[in-house]
Amino acid sequence: MSDVRHVLVLPDRDAAEEVVEALAERFRIDEEPLVVRDALAGEDDAEDAQWLVVLRDEKGELDPGQLDDFAGEWEGWREEP
């Protein structure tokens, strides 16, 4: 199987941390997702940062549409690779 990665984009750190906790409850994931702060180009202010939750899906079992809907619960979305 290929090494698929899904990137969920969230509006703030709290949302990203809540998503990480909820992912384990709602989806079968093999490892802890990576949380990364992504500052928007040219912005230094933390308020202008997005937070990314990166999760591996080695078996290709996670449905992209379900992940997008899931991220939407926190006003986020799934980034297309």
Side-chain angles (χ1 to χ4, degrees):
M1 289 279 159
S2 63
D3 184 14
V4 176
R5 294 182 192 273
H6 298 280
V7 178
L8 306 181
V9 182
L10 288 305
D12 56 49
R13 183 178 187 159
D14 290 340
E17 290 174 352
E18 289 175 20
V19 162
V20 168
E21 288 181 25
L23 274 168
E25 295 173 14
R26 193 159 328 165
F27 298 97
R28 293 181 58 191
I29 55 175
D30 295 330
E31 63 185 58
E32 180 86 9
L34 178 64
V35 177
V36 180
R37 180 180 178 270
D38 183 36
L40 300 177
E43 297 293 337
D44 295 329
D45 189 354
E47 294 296 319
D48 293 323
Q50 295 174 325
W51 288 80
L52 309 179
V53 175
V54 181
L55 57 146
R56 292 176 57 177
D57 182 19
E58 292 180 357
K59 298 175 185 170
E61 295 176 340
L62 298 173
D63 179 86
Q66 287 181 349
L67 287 172
D68 193 37
D69 291 343
F70 175 76
E73 295 175 24
W74 285 270
E75 299 181 12
W77 65 90
R78 185 186 65 84
E79 191 69 31
E80 288 292 332

